[in-house]
Amino acid sequence: MIPFMAAFRFRNVPLPVVLAILLAGLIYSLLIVFRYFRYRQTVIGHIAELTEDRRSRRNLITAEYTVDGSSYYVRSAYSHTIPYYKTGIEIPVRVSEKNPAHAMLPHDLRTAVLSSLITGAAFAFVLAAAVI
C-alpha cells in the first residue's frame, strides 16, 4: 500500500485534514505551472547530475545552464524515470528574465499539470462527497 494512503484506511481521519492535504498538493503543483509561464526565457543547459532513488527507479535532475557568461544550477521539482535521461545531454531550461538564478525544467510542467488535474479532481470529489 502507498504510505500516504495508509492513513485513509481508517474511518476516523477528519475530513478537514483530508481536504487540507489535497488542497496543499493542488496549490503546490499549480505554483509550478504558474512559475513556468512566468519564466519566459529558454536557454539550453545540460544535465550535470542525476540523483537516483534505486527503490523507485526514479531520479532528480540537476541541470547546469549559462546566462550572460554566468553558470547556474537548477534541480527538477519532480522525479523522472531513470532510463530516459543521461548525464551530459542537453536539456531546455526556463529562466526568469529578471533573475537568471531562478529557473525550472520544462519537463516538470507536464508532471505539474497532471498532478494538478489529479489532485484537483480528488479535492472536488471529496468536497462533493462531504457536502452530499
Side-chain angles (χ1 to χ4, degrees):
M1 180 175 285
I2 301 172
F4 69 89
M5 292 299 290
F8 298 115
R9 289 187 336 193
F10 304 106
R11 295 174 193 227
N12 59 357
V13 175
L15 184 64
V17 172
V18 174
L19 287 171
I21 291 170
L22 289 172
L23 185 61
L26 178 62
I27 290 170
Y28 175 76
S29 56
L30 283 175
L31 285 175
I32 292 174
V33 172
F34 291 138
R35 186 174 65 176
Y36 176 82
F37 292 108
R38 197 177 86 215
Y39 295 170
R40 298 201 170 138
Q41 181 181 2
T42 302
V43 298
I44 299 296
H46 69 277
I47 296 179
E49 179 185 12
L50 296 173
T51 307
E52 296 183 20
D53 180 5
R54 296 194 192 283
R55 287 181 294 130
S56 64
R57 302 259 322 134
R58 299 182 68 76
N59 61 17
L60 288 173
I61 298 169
T62 302
E64 180 182 15
Y65 62 97
T66 304
V67 176
D68 297 331
S70 298
S71 292
Y72 302 96
Y73 291 91
V74 60
R75 176 169 270 177
S76 59
Y78 294 101
S79 60
H80 300 277
T81 55
I82 289 174
Y84 186 72
Y85 299 103
K86 297 193 183 326
T87 304
I89 65 170
E90 290 185 346
I91 189 168
V93 179
R94 292 285 287 228
V95 179
S96 170
E97 293 173 342
K98 295 178 182 177
N99 186 355
H102 294 174
M104 71 174 291
L105 300 174
H107 298 321
D108 288 337
L109 178 65
R110 285 183 295 220
T111 307
V113 167
L114 181 62
S115 175
S116 296
L117 291 173
I118 291 171
T119 309
F123 179 78
F125 177 76
V126 171
L127 187 61
V131 170
I132 294 177

